Amino acid sequence: MLITKAFSVQPHASALPEVVWLPSQLTVDYTKCTGCRICELACSAKHEGLFQPSLARLKVIRYDDLGIDIPNVCGPCEEAPCVEVCPVYAMRRDPISKMVFLDHDKCILCKSCVGACVNGVIRLDTREMRIIKCDHCGGDPECAKVCPTGAIQYGPISSGTTFERHSKIASYLREIEHSAETQSSKGGS
Amino acid sequence: MATGGYTGRILRVQLDEGDFKVDKLPQEWIRDYIGGDGFAAKLLYEEVPAGCDPLSSHNKLIMSTGPITGTLWPMSGRTVFVSKAAQTGIWGESHVGGFIGPELKYAGYDMLVIEGQSDKPVYILIEDSNLQILDAGKFWGMKTDEVTAAIKREHADPDIQIAAVGPAGERKVRFSALIINNARAAGRTGMGAVLGAKNVKAIAIRGRGAVEVSDHEAFTELAKAAHMRVRTNPQAQEMGKWGTWILTAVKQEIGELPTYNHRTGVFPGWEKLSGDYIRPRYTVSDRACFGCSLACKKMNYVREGPFAGTLAEGPEYEGLMAFGSGLGIADYPTTLKANEICNQYGMDTISAGATIGFAFEAFENGLITTEDTGGLQLEWGDSQTVIQLLEMMGKREGFGDILAEGSRAAAERLGRGTEKYAIHVKGLEVSGQDGRTHRSIALGHATGARGADHLRSLVVVDQLGYEQVARERWGADKLPEIIDPYTEKHKAVAVVESENAYCIRDTLIVCWYSVSWPPIFWMQDFADMLPLATGEKSFGDVKNLTKIAERQVTLKRLFNAREGITRADDKLPKRFTHEPMPEGPGKGQTVDLEPMLDDYYRLRGWDLDTGLPTEKKIQSLSLGWTKKYASSH
Ligand code: SF4
Ligand code: SF4
Ligand code: SF4
Ligand code: SF4
């Protein structure tokens, strides 16, 4: 059983596009997340005026068999694939806040960004046919405010947090796998 | 007129025809029953004929949600399964946390009703308006975690919520459960057997729609403030850290930790079953149900010993009791393993543990022997035997086949006076409380609509001595008796009032741990919130909410009455009424049930002799319509 595979860390791309310093970002500590999805509810409540997690700008993935919950938020992306991929420059980075935002007037709904987002949090709303994407609530993120555990925070960060959180999970799983193997080689079941 | 909260639709799965049907949710149901349990009681009474076999095609399995299910209100992710109970043949209900209730709402339905019987194994897929009954031949025989993973893989969607039947439900083990996404159980009264008998292996739900409340802004502000109340409540913070394990030490201290099949209320090995001991050694993560800022669920990992490698959630306090103190086992990994087996096979932990306890005690007293057990020696504290028996029960193998009937039916089959060790009420095994050292629960166990229940009317205010809360709720004139665990006096007042509040809790539906213990929200909080959610002004009046609750309790009673239940069935095992508590702080205590029953019926407006609702009460609660369905169809 290779449970670590799902979390294997992607190597850095060798040719780095634009790398920028990010003033304030959403950061995630998965070890604190309980998977309650209050953040998804609050995001949809704020931006859509209803309770609809499928339209939230962030996504919590629950692994019930492993007991791990991972909130996926927009960023932090030093290099933003959604910006790189957008053919019409509808997805852009704000020069001051460095936040990636979507210019709805320019968007041609090609959906390239949906596939390119490293955290899978750009979505297509099929009812209103529009792209929905986190805008950091204009600098006052609702999700970070409602999160009861502090798993989502907002503030300046050092780079590499995303990678770090994935490697933490990998090491947690390695420990479990290791003990499981030791056990089975001892003849346990 | 309700304008928000509900989706307004009931989805029916008609297995006989292999079809689906969508009905409109009647407005008067909303007004009279709010949702959840209430809707289900109305539907079950009208549509399931009196006297029918719970495992026949006439029975229905109802899944029901409430107006705030799927919203930001704290801990509003719970859902209820209702059916004529496979285990007891009377009113059956089982609530469960997790995420499946909200998912049904997002798919566009308030309720799901499964009717008829399929002639081959199937599973039901509900994906918004994409509704399918699919072949489950290849899933039959799988454990619940296996079928859950298989369905998610098949539809390439990790967010599908799945309620599954395990091998126990397939074999109609009387206390088989529905297991939601690996570790949440609609455990009690045998919902697994009802679905298994219908040849349905699983219900898979995925919704992408919305829940819209009536006044979004005001509701959202109130909900956020409500979350802060949970987050800043000191007892809730403790619950978040220790989960229900916090109860072990509390119950040991007050002499109410059921031990050796409820023989006594103190357990020498309790420390190894307490949160303080378990968490630092075994817990790897804290987890929550939908919309819960408390997070009482714990993922645990056993590093060494015979159960090394076990990675599983649980058990709750009730599981620690059922497989720990109840069987004389002072070992957490055994309870975790036993809980995992129950989840995988789909069995209720409380009834499974209690039925094993019954067998242990009957064996100890020589009423059954190795001839009955197929050579197995049954002995208190023997972990391996417990694990072995659980698997035998799940598969209905050998002696496990008899135990799979639950303690009451097993005692009937074995005879020889074994029934005195079957600790149940109306066929449902007694949960982890003891009326001898907590008098109000004796009344709750005896009168609970589904049998010996700890979730419909358990009063914690007396148990834990919340004097201030008692004064506010019941008046200073009832102190000190009402919080004295050793007296029958005033206990019916506390039970009725709590049962009413919990009824509203179960119509919304919100978690026990925001209402009951610690007492964070009560009637007034719901009266403040419900009109914002639904637009129904009459929900803003506590008096009206109380009446709705009374209606619900009485309707469930009428359902049971139709199945022949009377005052004579509202009784307790002799252990609580005739065997004095042998040791601990409540040494010498027994329960005097009858005076509490009198008080209870009086407060409920039920007849003192028969224990049945009086005509006057039936009329005043607008339940006259039940007459139409009074006998079998
Ligand atoms: S969908 Fe819109 S924003 Fe996304 S890549 Fe295409 S044009 Fe750009
Ligand atoms: S920052 Fe705002 S928009 Fe982005 S995920 Fe959080 S709540 Fe949603
Ligand atoms: S609100 Fe916080 S703890 Fe809850 S799912 Fe979101 S990130 Fe995790
Ligand atoms: S308190 Fe526990 S059971 Fe209740 S909703 Fe929260 S996590 Fe679920």
Side-chain angles (χ1 to χ4, degrees):
Chain A
M1 184 181 54
L2 238 191
I3 42 184
T4 43
K5 210 163 91 192
F7 299 98
S8 62
V9 178
Q10 301 291 323
H12 280 271
S14 49
L16 296 176
E18 179 205 20
V19 177
V20 290
W21 181 78
L22 305 170
S24 261
Q25 286 291 317
L26 286 173
T27 57
V28 156
D29 179 352
Y30 87 93
T31 58
K32 291 193 177 134
C33 177
T34 61
C36 67
R37 296 173 66 184
I38 292 171
C39 48
E40 290 181 9
L41 282 168
C43 180
S44 73
K46 174 160 184 164
H47 295 281
E48 303 293 333
L50 33 76
F51 301 107
Q52 186 170 8
S54 70
L55 293 185
R57 277 77 168 153
L58 78 175
K59 169 108 193 88
V60 180
I61 309 272
R62 291 176 51 94
Y63 296 87
D64 288 320
D65 48 344
L66 303 170
I68 296 174
D69 305 290
I70 303 175
N72 287 281
V73 298
C74 167
C77 289
E78 293 91 340
E79 346 151 354
C82 60
V83 172
E84 298 300 318
V85 83
C86 181
V88 294
Y89 305 103
M91 197 69 86
R92 296 198 299 275
R93 205 187 268 282
D94 183 283
I96 296 161
S97 75
K98 306 292 182 203
M99 175 64 203
V100 173
F101 72 98
L102 169 61
D103 181 346
H104 279 277
D105 293 341
K106 283 214 165 79
C107 173
I108 54 168
L109 278 180
C110 72
K111 297 176 279 234
S112 310
C113 54
V114 176
C117 174
V118 282
N119 291 319
V121 290
I122 302 183
R123 300 205 200 170
L124 177 70
D125 171 8
T126 49
R127 285 175 217 207
E128 292 188 22
M129 283 319 282
R130 61 182 170 144
I131 295 291
I132 52 175
K133 186 198 165 293
C134 170
D135 64 357
H136 284 194
C137 294
D140 185 21
E142 186 76 357
C143 54
K145 276 195 289 190
V146 296
C147 173
T149 64
I152 301 182
Q153 305 256 0
Y154 187 67
I157 53 145
S158 59
S159 63
T161 312
T162 323
F163 293 107
E164 198 198 335
R165 87 172 189 252
H166 284 256
S167 64
K168 266 192 208 161
I169 295 170
S171 70
Y172 161 66
L173 293 176
R174 263 196 302 274
E175 196 218 325
I176 287 174
E177 234 177 31
H178 175 74
S179 340
E181 273 161 21
T182 337
Q183 266 319 111
S184 58
S185 64
K186 272 195 268 169
S189 58
Chain B
M1 171 79 186
T3 50
Y6 306 93
T7 67
R9 303 195 306 163
I10 302 171
L11 177 64
R12 289 179 188 267
V13 189
Q14 301 169 314
L15 294 168
D16 291 337
E17 295 84 8
D19 228 341
F20 291 86
K21 185 167 167 263
V22 178
D23 284 342
K24 258 185 87 174
L25 179 71
Q27 274 287 335
E28 63 276 15
W29 286 25
I30 294 174
R31 190 195 60 211
D32 293 347
Y33 300 95
I34 303 177
D37 247 22
F39 288 173
K42 168 87 173 154
L43 196 143
L44 196 77
Y45 198 96
E46 284 188 6
E47 298 187 14
V48 171
C52 84
D53 176 356
L55 299 181
S56 72
S57 67
H58 300 294
N59 198 6
K60 302 192 178 189
L61 185 84
I62 303 165
M63 175 182 168
S64 191
T65 66
I68 58 165
T69 308
T71 70
L72 191 58
W73 187 265
M75 298 130 133
S76 58
R78 293 184 73 90
T79 189
V80 64
F81 289 89
V82 168
S83 191
K84 183 170 179 182
Q87 190 178 1
T88 56
I90 57 173
W91 168 261
E93 72 178 286
S94 198
H95 291 251
V96 65
F99 297 77
I100 198 166
E103 207 69 34
L104 184 72
K105 289 278 289 280
Y106 298 143
Y109 313 98
D110 294 307
M111 295 175 86
L112 172 69
V113 185
I114 301 175
E115 317 177 335
Q117 203 160 33
S118 165
D119 45 24
K120 60 174 192 355
V122 294
Y123 71 104
I124 296 162
L125 179 72
I126 298 161
E127 219 188 341
D128 299 308
S129 55
N130 171 24
L131 308 169
Q132 294 185 56
I133 299 173
L134 297 163
D135 179 56
K138 58 182 183 252
F139 300 146
W140 208 251
M142 280 186 178
K143 294 181 179 155
T144 60
D145 52 341
E146 295 164 346
V147 67
T148 299
I151 292 175
K152 288 186 179 196
R153 205 177 309 122
E154 181 127 339
H155 299 277
D157 186 351
D159 290 329
I160 296 183
Q161 299 295 324
I162 294 159
V165 159
E170 291 174 12
R171 290 177 178 78
K172 303 171 195 72
V173 170
R174 289 284 166 176
F175 45 83
S176 50
L178 292 176
I179 304 293
I180 324 289
N181 283 17
N182 299 50
R184 293 287 180 285
R188 304 224 77 188
T189 71
M191 296 299 160
V194 173
L195 203 57
K198 294 189 178 307
N199 256 320
V200 175
K201 180 70 181 170
I203 308 165
I205 305 177
R206 180 76 166 101
R208 294 181 183 80
V211 173
E212 287 181 72
V213 292
S214 195
D215 183 342
H216 181 80
E217 291 211 338
F219 177 87
T220 304
E221 281 317 304
L222 194 67
K224 283 199 259 177
H227 271 289
M228 287 318 291
R229 283 172 66 187
V230 177
R231 282 164 65 174
T232 53
N233 181 298
Q235 279 129 11
Q237 285 166 353
E238 289 294 296
M239 267 289 293
K241 187 162 179 201
W242 309 108
T244 49
W245 301 336
I246 200 170
L247 291 170
T248 313
V250 174
K251 309 272 277 179
Q252 171 74 12
E253 196 188 322
I254 60 178
E256 201 204 353
L257 180 65
T259 301
Y260 303 122
N261 197 30
H262 280 88
R263 204 187 291 166
T264 170
V266 288
F267 181 49
W270 68 275
E271 271 172 309
K272 292 209 160 156
L273 301 173
S274 71
D276 282 337
Y277 185 86
I278 303 168
R279 182 173 175 108
R281 288 170 180 79
Y282 300 102
T283 303
V284 291
S285 66
D286 299 309
R287 307 194 79 210
C289 301
F290 179 94
C292 174
S293 38
L294 192 152
C296 75
K297 299 287 179 266
K298 311 292 161 216
M299 189 72 173
N300 308 288
Y301 182 62
V302 181
R303 290 180 175 76
E304 53 194 19
F307 304 115
T310 308
L311 174 71
E313 271 186 39
E316 297 294 330
Y317 156 74
E318 289 286 342
L320 288 181
M321 179 282 304
F323 301 119
S325 60
L327 301 177
I329 294 173
D331 180 48
Y332 170 73
T334 304
T335 67
L336 182 65
K337 186 70 193 174
N339 191 73
E340 184 185 50
I341 292 173
C342 283
N343 284 346
Q344 289 172 334
Y345 280 86
M347 295 190 286
D348 176 36
T349 53
I350 301 175
S351 286
T355 305
I356 293 175
F358 151 80
F360 276 17
E361 198 171 5
F363 192 94
E364 181 185 36
N365 288 284
L367 301 184
I368 59 173
T369 66
T370 47
E371 254 171 58
D372 301 289
T373 65
L376 273 180
Q377 290 284 343
L378 306 187
E379 228 170 278
W380 299 115
D382 182 351
S383 296
Q384 292 300 341
T385 306
V386 170
I387 299 302
Q388 200 177 339
L389 280 175
L390 282 173
E391 304 227 1
M392 288 164 69
M393 285 150 83
K395 297 184 202 155
R396 275 192 179 271
E397 267 174 19
F399 185 52
D401 188 32
I402 297 178
L403 298 186
E405 291 296 305
S407 63
R408 177 176 69 179
E412 274 164 21
R413 286 228 333 236
L414 292 163
R416 292 167 249 168
T418 51
E419 75 274 2
K420 78 173 199 243
Y421 303 122
I423 308 300
H424 70 89
V425 176
K426 302 182 179 80
L428 191 74
E429 286 75 13
V430 174
S431 48
Q433 299 76 32
D434 192 319
R436 289 173 294 185
T437 42
H438 178 192
R439 220 61 112 234
S440 59
I441 191 60
L443 181 59
H445 279 156
T447 54
R450 64 176 185 177
D453 197 329
H454 63 296
L455 296 174
R456 299 287 92 70
S457 63
L458 170 67
V459 185
V460 295
V461 176
D462 59 341
Q463 183 188 31
L464 305 174
Y466 287 92
E467 198 177 317
Q468 191 49 36
V469 180
R471 201 183 305 275
E472 284 160 21
R473 279 186 198 167
W474 303 311
D477 58 317
K478 302 200 181 54
L479 285 159
E481 290 91 343
I482 205 158
I483 56 164
D484 176 354
Y486 301 150
T487 168
E488 281 74 18
K489 200 166 172 201
H490 299 315
K491 288 300 143 54
V493 174
V495 165
V496 165
E497 206 249 0
S498 303
E499 192 174 33
N500 287 345
Y502 301 170
C503 257
I504 301 305
R505 174 198 73 196
D506 293 344
T507 62
L508 298 174
I509 307 169
V510 292
C511 181
W512 164 270
Y513 289 110
S514 65
V515 179
S516 318
W517 193 84
I520 306 175
F521 305 117
W522 205 247
M523 288 289 219
Q524 188 58 51
D525 302 294
F526 300 140
D528 293 341
M529 173 272 288
L530 270 172
L532 301 177
T534 62
E536 172 64 51
K537 299 276 179 300
S538 68
F539 293 163
D541 176 9
V542 170
K543 272 209 213 85
N544 181 42
L545 293 184
T546 306
K547 185 159 189 182
I548 292 172
E550 280 186 38
R551 181 178 297 126
Q552 208 196 107
V553 174
T554 296
L555 179 55
K556 290 183 194 174
R557 183 65 171 186
L558 288 170
F559 182 90
N560 281 346
R562 201 170 62 170
E563 301 297 335
I565 295 290
T566 65
R567 176 170 184 150
D569 301 285
D570 293 347
K571 57 179 190 221
L572 290 174
K574 286 227 162 53
R575 175 143 286 173
F576 303 124
T577 52
H578 289 76
E579 285 176 34
M581 181 60 89
E583 57 192 321
K587 188 171 177 193
Q589 292 287 329
T590 52
V591 178
D592 187 8
L593 182 62
E594 301 307 320
M596 288 197 290
L597 276 181
D598 287 346
D599 292 347
Y600 179 87
Y601 297 143
R602 230 176 264 126
L603 288 166
R604 283 268 169 246
W606 298 355
D607 184 85
L608 253 58
D609 295 328
T610 61
L612 302 182
T614 59
E615 187 54 34
K616 200 169 135 222
K617 196 72 199 173
I618 291 175
Q619 293 308 332
S620 79
L621 294 174
S622 324
L623 286 169
W625 59 267
T626 52
K627 298 249 161 51
K628 220 167 97 195
Y629 308 93
S631 55
S632 358
H633 293 201

